Amino acid sequence: AQSVTQLDSQVPVFEEAPVELRCNYSSSVSVYLFWYVQYPNQGLQLLLKYLSGSTLVKGINGFEAEFNKSQTSFHLRKPSVHISDTAEYFCAASKETSGSRLTFGEGTQLTVNP
Amino acid sequence: DTEVTQTPKHLVMGMTNKKSLKCEQHMGHRAMYWYKQKAKKPPELMFVYSYEKLSINESVPSRFSPECPNSSLLNLHLHALQPEDSALYLCASKSRAGPGYEQYFGPGTRLTVT
């Protein structure tokens, strides 16, 4: 079975500091990986995705992620965060044999403090 | 237009009521989803429609009844709900049912069952 593990449930940082949100996946077959952000009382918005090709993926709002097959990781990074980045972040994965299903991690609450 | 719309935004209903949630997209997407999300948790898949046919039902109680009248519209009919059904209900769509496509989420309907 496929699983997605977000290693930190909460990450507090100060404004303008760098941040890394960690995500590990388990799969014996090729996977497609996604990071979504959810602001309070809103739906999920896609930040970035890895389908194939370059392992460094750039997304919206200055975020990027690196696919590491040997470490089975897909960590999300931003070099300098803003107050407005405070939100819940979900890592998600799908694979050829999972059909239409998307497996989500438990989420990481990023809180950016002034 | 990359928008998924959901109505109503908020809904309060009693346990004997019948109500419906509506989801609409005009992106030409052929896969549509219903999710249930509890506070501080990832979305849980309920139903998937692919080419207007129900393809996945995650053993959801029959008090939830999905309907896909056409390729742009998805409804969720609610009847005799329980207080534990109170949650954020999210609709999503994607261009094809396969795993290598991102899902676009609507803003959700906040449901409270009294």
Side-chain angles (χ1 to χ4, degrees):
Chain A
Q2 176 179 263
S3 71
V4 176
T5 303
Q6 291 183 241
L7 296 157
D8 306 291
S9 60
Q10 297 189 52
V11 174
V13 294
F14 287 109
E15 195 173 16
E16 298 183 9
V19 71
E20 179 181 78
L21 306 184
R22 298 180 294 166
C23 173
N24 284 100
Y25 67 92
S26 66
S27 177
S28 58
V29 299
S30 297
V31 294
Y32 305 95
L33 296 162
F34 307 85
W35 273 100
Y36 285 89
V37 61
Q38 186 174 31
Y39 299 102
N41 300 311
Q42 293 189 28
L44 277 68
Q45 180 183 11
L46 181 71
L47 277 176
L48 47 79
K49 61 186 178 186
Y50 173 78
L51 303 181
S52 65
S54 174
T55 57
L56 183 62
V57 180
K58 293 194 183 296
I60 62 170
N61 301 343
F63 284 93
E64 64 181 32
E66 184 152 21
F67 172 67
N68 187 319
K69 189 174 181 179
S70 61
Q71 303 284 329
T72 61
S73 67
F74 190 55
H75 300 335
L76 181 71
R77 301 186 183 100
K78 186 169 182 179
S80 175
V81 293
H82 303 290
I83 300 283
S84 58
D85 292 321
T86 295
E88 189 83 20
Y89 291 78
F90 292 101
C91 182
S94 64
K95 59 181 181 179
E96 294 291 344
T97 54
S98 65
S100 299
R101 288 182 179 81
L102 196 59
T103 300
F104 287 94
E106 287 296 304
T108 298
Q109 172 65 44
L110 173 65
T111 302
V112 182
N113 298 301
Chain B
D1 181 10
T2 57
E3 191 178 23
V4 176
T5 59
Q6 289 187 244
T7 53
K9 192 168 183 177
H10 300 278
L11 178 62
V12 179
M13 59 186 291
M15 290 190 284
T16 58
N17 292 158
K18 284 186 181 180
K19 296 285 185 184
S20 296
L21 309 185
K22 179 180 170 181
C23 171
E24 201 160 4
Q25 56 86 15
H26 295 287
M27 296 177 278
H29 287 179
R30 305 313 302 269
M32 295 185 76
Y33 299 70
W34 280 116
Y35 288 90
K36 174 183 177 181
Q37 187 182 26
K38 290 285 211 180
K40 303 297 182 187
K41 301 297 266 183
E44 297 171 39
L45 183 63
M46 299 175 73
F47 304 103
V48 181
Y49 273 82
S50 178
Y51 293 88
E52 296 126 68
K53 289 189 175 9
L54 184 64
S55 62
I56 296 176
N57 177 340
E58 293 288 63
S59 303
V60 178
S62 59
R63 58 185 184 268
F64 295 91
S65 175
E67 179 196 20
C68 189
N70 58 57
S71 60
S72 300
L73 197 54
L74 187 66
N75 298 320
L76 186 63
H77 303 298
L78 315 172
H79 173 55
L81 295 192
Q82 304 296 309
E84 60 264 28
D85 297 321
S86 298
L88 181 68
Y89 287 83
L90 293 165
C91 174
S93 71
K94 66 179 184 178
S95 58
R96 295 291 184 269
Y101 302 90
E102 66 266 32
Q103 293 185 24
Y104 291 81
F105 284 81
T109 294
R110 175 74 60 188
L111 174 67
T112 303
V113 181
T114 60

